[in-house]
Amino acid sequence: MSATPTKQTARIVIIGAGAAGIAAATRLLAQGFKQVCILEAENRIGGRINTVAFGDSVVDKGAQWCHGEEGNVVYELVKQTKLLDRTGDVLKAVKFVRSNWQILEDEVAYVLGSAIESAWPTGPEETNGSLGDHVSVNYWRGLEKAPPVDREIAAELLESMKKLRCSYTASDHLFMVSKRAHLEFHNCPGEFMWNWQDKGYRTILKTLMQAKLSEPEHLGVLQDKIQLAKPLAEIDYTQPKLVKLRCWNGELITADHVICTVSLGVLKAQHEQLFKPALPAAKVRAIKGLHLGTVNKFFLEYESQPLPYDWVGANFLWLFEDLAVLRGSERFWLESVFGFHRVLHQPRLLQAWIIGEHARHMETLSEQEVLDGLQWLFRKFLPFNMPQPQAFIRTQWHSNPNFRGSYSSRTNYTDELRTGPWDLETPLLDEAGRPRVHFAGEATNKHHHSSVHGAIETGWREADRLNQYYNARNAQ
Ligand SMILES: Cc1cc2nc3c(=O)[nH]c(=O)nc-3n(C[C@H](O)[C@H](O)[C@H](O)COP(=O)(O)OP(=O)(O)OC[C@H]3O[C@@H](n4cnc5c(N)ncnc54)[C@H](O)[C@@H]3O)c2cc1C
């Protein structure tokens, strides 16, 4: 091995075979790097993309929709194919149901829904403060000019919609979400909820790897380059020219460059043990300051679709007296199951959502307790009988030590610490300025965090950074 590695000889180890890791590896190979390998803790690839067989085809336990078109690399990668299908407004037609079985009339739902829609900050304007403050104030202001609506119902709907919006940012409540971050997040214009029909989001990994869609285990250009069930225990970058990696099974691996794509949750829990020497203060501040929240899903499979034909789903509005009773009961966690809906291309399924600390509590319950809770919730809100499902899946993103949550966001605390994805992204260089340890993954993306397209961008970003380094060196 020559002292100065070249693209042919440089050993690049990527930690994590999620979207960012796979994007980095495939890009590096395309750029002419030969010694690329991925170490993955789970016994599968994909990370927070996890498509599993369920119902009549598959469901996604993690990422489900391709959000937008313009500026969305996922959309760009597959737009010439027929893989994506528009969801359009189908799921927007969910009903609003109260805990006394009352279904909001369309006119009332329209007035309140419009007030919520126009309550979100769009900028340019004052960026300080929380999203929760902004939305609450502007919702009530908006309603002052709207046709009169029952104030209690308006308050119930606001609470329900705040929970729905928390699922976008994986935050426990909207009062922690930074308004500045909300304005700096770039939504990609175009259809907001492209679905993957009966194939699931894993299709994008297959596309990146140029793997056969028909063969689930085929890894395309990454065949033989991914080591599964190989959790990393330590990244030692003490020495100037190489990085020593220690796996949990004791195996030692030497690399010239490492691209670390583990989730923010893994970094929060493990950075002190994972990195030797300790990470620089700015990076630690970013790890502490950024937030990784919890969003979990439930999939319920029935013999046939249990909802009336004109129902696509419902959002739950708790009467405040019912909520007080719920909070005093062992089913308190159901407060954060904010709604459910049909699943496109899966006629016999329903999907429900839970957020925040109650989502984390739900993960500690048995599957039967969770299912019993959901059945109770359906009875509480729905004016028709719901049969027992035949099969059931719930996700547990927080308690899995390889994730420790769902996706990242910037909170007011992040802003207070004056940190953000840019500090998490900064690579660790040796004294001669050579890049040693790179950081990728959704949480390192300033404008597209919490998404698959954001994760892929960061994998490409770090591959390009290495490529530029080698190209510049060769040009000297
Ligand atoms: C419930 C849910 C719903 C979502 N919905 C959407 C959606 O609809 N659309 C969208 O665009 N995005 C969605 N997302 C977000 C999206 O899934 C993520 O932003 C993206 O997949 C993150 O990719 P990543 O490569 O950054 O991280 P990850 O996918 O977390 O990859 C990191 C990998 O590192 C591995 N790892 C961890 N520790 C170690 C270790 N010590 N050694 C080796 N390997 C390790 C992990 O096992 C993992 O495979 C959703 C996520 C969740 C959880």
Side-chain angles (χ1 to χ4, degrees), residues 236-476:
D236 179 349
Y237 63 103
T238 325
Q239 293 184 28
K241 286 192 176 167
L242 51 83
V243 185
K244 287 185 186 163
L245 303 170
R246 182 167 55 80
C247 302
W248 274 108
N249 66 359
E251 192 179 330
L252 295 174
I253 298 171
T254 309
D256 295 295
H257 309 280
V258 170
I259 302 180
C260 179
T261 75
V262 303
S263 76
L264 176 66
V266 172
L267 288 175
K268 278 180 188 287
Q270 292 180 21
H271 76 89
E272 285 172 7
Q273 299 81 43
L274 199 54
F275 292 94
K276 189 176 160 192
L279 291 172
K283 179 105 39 212
V284 173
R285 203 166 49 239
I287 291 170
K288 285 194 174 144
L290 287 162
H291 179 73
L292 191 86
T294 311
V295 175
N296 276 313
K297 300 180 183 180
F298 308 108
F299 290 101
L300 302 108
E301 178 189 354
Y302 297 90
E303 200 178 330
S304 59
Q305 178 54 240
L307 294 185
Y309 76 94
D310 58 341
W311 281 61
V312 290
N315 284 333
F316 299 131
L317 309 193
W318 279 99
L319 269 65
F320 288 104
E321 58 267 30
D322 284 347
L323 195 54
V325 175
L326 179 81
R327 284 178 177 166
S329 78
E330 63 181 13
R331 294 205 164 108
F332 64 92
W333 57 275
L334 288 167
E335 175 177 356
S336 297
V337 180
F338 57 84
F340 72 96
H341 53 78
R342 294 180 189 233
V343 181
L344 268 73
H345 304 282
Q346 284 268 31
R348 297 184 298 113
L349 298 199
L350 289 179
Q351 172 175 1
W353 298 82
I354 184 169
I355 52 148
E357 60 175 325
H358 293 148
R360 293 189 282 280
H361 175 78
M362 179 281 297
E363 294 188 17
T364 67
L365 302 176
S366 73
E367 213 161 79
Q368 192 57 51
E369 284 171 316
V370 175
L371 195 49
D372 289 348
L374 289 177
Q375 286 294 102
W376 180 89
L377 193 67
F378 288 149
R379 280 197 299 277
K380 180 84 189 142
F381 280 88
L382 301 179
F384 47 82
N385 244 340
M386 287 288 278
Q388 279 288 337
Q390 288 178 331
F392 173 61
I393 289 183
R394 53 93 183 253
T395 63
Q396 292 169 292
W397 288 104
H398 173 75
S399 41
N400 185 325
N402 296 325
F403 302 98
R404 298 198 179 272
S406 302
Y407 33 93
S408 70
S409 63
R410 280 166 61 191
T411 63
N412 291 319
Y413 179 59
T414 323
D415 289 352
E416 257 173 51
L417 292 188
R418 294 176 185 273
T419 185
W422 49 91
D423 284 332
L424 198 59
E425 160 192 341
T426 315
L428 307 175
L429 311 179
D430 68 12
E431 282 177 0
R434 285 177 292 238
R436 281 291 160 263
V437 183
H438 299 241
F439 292 83
E442 58 87 13
T444 70
N445 196 316
K446 181 176 178 190
H447 298 299
H448 288 155
H449 55 80
S450 69
S451 68
V452 173
H453 53 281
I456 291 175
E457 283 175 350
T458 66
W460 286 349
R461 180 191 69 211
E462 295 312 315
D464 290 348
R465 200 193 297 271
L466 259 184
N467 192 38
Q468 277 158 19
Y469 169 74
Y470 275 82
N471 288 346
R473 219 188 49 185
N474 289 345
Q476 280 169 7

Side-chain angles (χ1 to χ4, degrees), residues 16 19-20 40-42 47-48 62-65 232 402 407 441-442 451-452:
E40 167 55 51
E42 296 267 313
R48 282 170 277 170
Q64 185 165 356
W65 292 293
L232 192 80
N402 296 325
Y407 33 93
E442 58 87 13
S451 68
V452 173

